[in-house]
Amino acid sequence: MSADRQLLERFLRGELDAEAIDALERRLDEEPELQRELGALAQEAYEAELPDLGTTRMSLFQGRAFAAEPIAAGVELREVIGRGGMGVVHRGLQHSLGRTVAVKSVRDPERHRAPLLQEAVLTGYLEHPNIAPVHEITTGADGQPLVVLKHIEGTVWSDTLPRPNQPSAMPLEWHLRVVLQICQALRFAHSRGVVHRDVKPSNVMIGEFDEVYLMDWGLGVCLDAGSRLPSLADQRGIAGTPAFMAPEQLEEDPSGIGTHTDVYLVGACLYHLATGEPPQAGTKLAEIREAVKARRGLSLPAETPPELAGIIERAMALAPTDRYASIGDLRDALEGFLEHRTSETLVARGDERAEAMMEAHGASDAEAAERAFFDAAFNYRAALDSWPNNEGAQQKLDALVRARVEQLISLDAPLAARRALAIVEAADSELNARVEAAVAREHEARFRLEHYERGDNRVFGLMMRRVIGGALGLIWIAISVALVAVPVTSLTTLLVGSVGVLFVTTFVIIRARHVMLDVRLNRHNAMISLIAEVALVVMIALAAVTDRPVTDVLTESMLLVALAAGAVAAVMDTRVFLTALAYLAGYVACRLDPSLLRFAFPAAAVAMVAVSHGINVITARRAATSSG
């Protein structure tokens, strides 16, 4: 092995002192062959020892570590697609695989060569779907290092975020799902002991198919002091983006940095999403540091969902111990919010319908108010099904039901109020008592109304009236004919017969009381008939005491029946006056000529039965016509 090769290998292993390195640097400037040999040895060291590269060995990439000839000549550089403070990114073509790649190089090789390669090694160590993979480390024609990365066709997340007074074209849910993917990348990095330290919207790329990549791991460090990756223990000074930095990043001593720092940075991204601006403004670090220390809360827009606002405030807590314990916990909180977001959307729809209910009620549009009520209740119920612990949805459902019940009570619709109240599982006891009292009052009023309507409805009890009226009518005709065909000479016999008729009538009424007494028309008819028969019995009894002629009693009974028929006509049906006229005519005729009694008495009875039957037939036909 030549002395030059041994010298180069010692250089790559970091065994040369500063003087020897300066001497080697001068030779490299003068001897291109020595540069190429160093490049070849560096490539061999990279390929053989990449998993074991330590922080101290990163010095191998300093100075002239690569030759002027490309080590992997299969990458063709094309147009610039991005620039940063440290480097430039070109689109490239990797000929061996025929694919487009991104090629990152540095602007100032003397200052930024080592950081570029540190970032490449760290990114290569973190192989994850949400971290852009490193394909290769090679050199350009100028001998400077090139990092070949996956080429991502898409957009920078910061370009899609809202700005002050300019909302984002993408919905909140879409942005939050981007944040969830960022959290996944950080969860993996944290599991490997690596902290990003510069999470911000401009460091997130979103591919054509919504794939999310957390980029720019140049400030990433390993928390394990014994790791062979860039270690936090070796860091000095302040590093990060001031507008997003966590409080511990604003201190000269970086020892306070940890995974909680990335939690804060993700919270700062959420703040930017909610407000359209980074959380910290200022041009000087001292100003920003003082503003952060003096902060007593976050100023979030009023339209920020309360649950999301709580997540942001906790993630951005000044004290690390007040933040989420891990990036996984923050991710879980965001997942929960997205699940609850559906519930909150349903609540918002319910609010709209609840307002429509109030407006419709104010406009006396009962049908529209009822539809709006059930729509609002459906949305609140669906919100609770989606998120059972949504206290706001439950409170609004309770308030909706109370408002609707109050409306229905004011409209004298207690049964509808009871149905509305049944929507909530645990109704307010006072409101429930009011509803039940209103229902009881309506039942009583309805019973009275139905009872009254039944009394006025001639159809109710019609059949019973026809049967009983027909039977009693035939009996009355038979008695009337018998009284004149077989003249009764004894008032006692007449009295016994009248009492018998009274007994039969009373018995029939009692037996058919569910019809005769529940229907007002039948009840009046029955009462007048009983009163008339009682009066007849009393009249006959008095006549028997005074020993009056039987013919006079029979004649006066016709007047009594005429008066009873007149009473029935007055309270039930004016057509019954025909019966009253028939008996009145018979009474007058018999007064003028007592011999007409044997004709007038049965004729009046027949007229009474005919009129009653005719009225019932006409009523039945009208009822059948109206129902048809």
Side-chain angles (χ1 to χ4, degrees):
M1 181 182 298
S2 67
D4 285 342
R5 183 178 180 86
Q6 291 179 350
L7 178 64
L8 293 176
E9 287 180 348
R10 289 182 62 201
F11 169 68
L12 291 176
R13 291 196 296 269
E15 297 175 356
L16 298 181
D17 57 21
E19 184 177 351
I21 291 175
D22 290 339
L24 180 60
E25 286 283 342
R26 287 192 296 271
R27 288 189 60 193
L28 289 170
D29 288 337
E30 299 170 356
E31 301 174 28
E33 289 295 327
L34 189 61
Q35 291 182 15
R36 284 193 290 272
E37 186 174 1
L38 177 59
L41 289 174
Q43 179 69 12
E44 291 174 6
Y46 170 76
E47 293 176 351
E49 301 186 44
L50 181 60
D52 297 322
L53 285 175
T55 303
T56 56
R57 293 194 177 183
M58 295 306 294
S59 60
L60 68 89
F61 297 113
Q62 299 174 2
R64 299 300 182 85
F66 293 94
E69 291 182 4
I71 294 174
V75 178
E76 177 185 339
L77 296 184
R78 294 185 175 178
E79 74 275 15
V80 174
I81 58 176
R83 297 180 184 273
M86 183 180 76
V88 179
V89 180
H90 289 77
R91 192 189 311 276
L93 176 63
Q94 190 175 26
H95 290 287
S96 60
L97 295 177
R99 65 180 174 183
T100 301
V101 293
V103 183
K104 191 171 184 179
S105 60
V106 294
R107 292 183 175 183
D108 185 349
E110 295 300 326
R111 293 177 55 199
H112 299 143
R113 180 189 295 112
L116 172 68
L117 295 170
Q118 287 177 358
E119 178 185 0
V121 173
L122 183 66
T123 307
Y125 174 67
L126 299 175
E127 187 173 344
H128 186 270
N130 297 117
I131 299 174
V134 175
H135 295 324
E136 188 176 8
I137 297 177
T138 183
T139 57
D142 59 356
Q144 298 304 325
L146 301 175
V147 178
V148 183
L149 303 154
K150 174 183 173 67
H151 181 261
I152 302 170
E153 290 285 354
T155 185
V156 181
W157 183 36
S158 57
D159 292 341
T160 69
L161 288 175
R163 293 175 173 81
N165 302 318
Q166 183 180 345
S168 171
M170 305 304 292
L172 175 64
E173 290 78 5
W174 183 87
H175 287 289
L176 292 179
R177 297 198 184 283
V178 170
V179 178
L180 290 177
Q181 296 302 305
I182 296 171
C183 290
Q184 287 291 74
L186 291 172
R187 282 181 64 197
F188 176 76
H190 292 177
S191 72
R192 299 298 178 92
V194 175
V195 178
H196 189 284
R197 292 201 300 170
D198 198 23
V199 181
K200 58 184 178 181
S202 60
N203 280 344
V204 177
M205 286 291 297
I206 301 172
E208 290 182 294
F209 301 98
D210 290 337
E211 62 271 32
V212 178
Y213 298 94
L214 180 56
M215 311 292 289
D216 200 351
W217 290 81
L219 296 182
V221 291
C222 186
L223 300 178
D224 183 1
S227 171
R228 296 183 178 182
L229 298 172
S231 173
L232 178 64
D234 296 329
Q235 303 301 306
R236 296 293 182 270
I238 296 173
T241 302
F244 291 88
M245 280 190 202
E248 58 270 23
Q249 287 182 278
L250 294 165
E251 302 298 332
E252 292 289 340
D253 181 5
S255 61
I257 290 173
T259 56
H260 51 265
T261 303
D262 284 346
V263 170
Y264 182 98
L265 293 172
V266 173
C269 292
L270 291 171
Y271 180 95
H272 193 172
L273 171 61
T275 64
E277 297 179 311
Q280 290 140 201
T283 58
K284 297 180 179 179
L285 280 175
E287 294 176 357
I288 295 175
R289 183 186 297 113
E290 293 305 316
V292 170
K293 287 182 177 180
R295 192 181 75 203
R296 292 295 178 266
L298 298 175
S299 179
L300 295 168
E303 62 270 19
T304 306
E307 187 179 2
L308 179 59
I311 292 173
I312 297 173
E313 289 176 354
R314 183 175 176 185
M316 293 184 64
L318 297 180
T321 54
D322 293 336
R323 300 172 199 164
Y324 289 97
S326 69
I327 200 71
D329 289 348
L330 173 55
R331 183 185 184 281
D332 291 344
L334 289 172
E335 285 278 17
F337 170 74
L338 283 173
E339 292 178 2
H340 304 161
R341 180 72 171 168
T342 301
S343 180
E344 294 296 348
T345 300
L346 290 168
V347 169
R349 293 176 186 170
D351 292 344
E352 293 176 1
R353 299 305 294 151
E355 184 176 352
M357 179 194 77
M358 300 302 291
E359 292 176 355
H361 178 70
S364 300
D365 190 342
E367 183 177 349
E370 189 76 353
R371 284 199 308 270
F373 166 70
F374 281 108
D375 286 348
F378 173 80
N379 280 287
Y380 289 143
R381 272 292 182 196
L384 286 168
D385 290 340
S386 175
W387 180 19
N389 293 327
N390 190 339
E391 296 180 359
Q394 185 63 61
Q395 292 170 359
K396 290 185 176 183
L397 177 61
D398 293 342
L400 172 77
V401 170
R402 172 174 283 279
R404 185 55 182 162
V405 168
E406 294 285 359
Q407 291 175 355
L408 293 171
I409 290 178
S410 70
L411 295 173
D412 292 328
L415 291 178
R418 177 192 274 174
R419 289 194 297 272
L421 195 61
I423 290 178
V424 293
E425 296 178 358
D428 179 81
S429 57
E430 179 271 335
L431 189 61
N432 186 68
R434 288 179 57 200
V435 170
E436 292 305 317
V439 169
R441 289 194 298 271
E442 184 184 51
H443 281 166
E444 183 179 357
R446 181 171 295 181
F447 173 79
R448 291 177 180 176
L449 179 61
E450 290 176 352
H451 190 67
Y452 179 80
E453 288 177 347
R454 286 188 65 189
D456 278 351
N457 193 329
R458 298 177 182 277
V459 176
F460 287 127
L462 175 62
M463 182 59 67
M464 185 61 67
R465 286 200 302 273
R466 295 178 70 175
V467 172
I468 294 177
L472 293 178
L474 292 175
I475 293 173
W476 183 248
I477 291 173
I479 292 174
S480 300
V481 172
L483 288 174
V484 296
V486 182
V488 177
T489 57
S490 172
L491 287 175
T492 303
T493 303
L494 190 61
L495 179 61
V496 171
S498 299
V499 171
V501 171
L502 176 61
F503 175 79
V504 171
T505 302
T506 303
F507 176 78
V508 170
I509 290 174
I510 292 174
R511 290 289 296 178
R513 62 185 178 276
H514 63 286
V515 174
M516 295 301 295
L517 299 181
D518 284 349
V519 181
R520 188 165 65 88
L521 290 176
N522 291 355
R523 186 168 62 252
H524 289 170
N525 194 9
M527 292 302 102
I528 292 173
S529 297
L530 285 175
I531 291 172
E533 290 182 19
V534 170
L536 180 61
V537 170
V538 171
M539 185 183 72
I540 295 172
L542 292 175
V545 172
T546 57
D547 198 22
R548 296 181 62 196
V550 173
T551 54
D552 289 349
V553 174
L554 291 177
T555 300
E556 291 173 357
S557 68
M558 293 179 67
L559 179 60
L560 180 62
V561 174
L563 293 174
V568 171
V571 300
M572 292 178 57
D573 195 318
T574 55
R575 290 170 293 188
V576 181
F577 272 117
L578 295 174
T579 299
L581 291 175
Y583 272 95
L584 183 61
Y587 168 75
V588 172
C590 292
R591 277 296 183 186
L592 296 176
D593 186 358
S595 63
L596 296 177
L597 180 63
R598 60 180 178 170
F599 303 109
F601 205 86
V606 171
M608 179 184 71
V609 174
V611 168
S612 176
H613 180 70
I615 292 173
N616 288 334
V617 169
I618 292 172
T619 301
R621 287 179 178 176
R622 287 180 177 176
T625 301
S626 62
S627 64

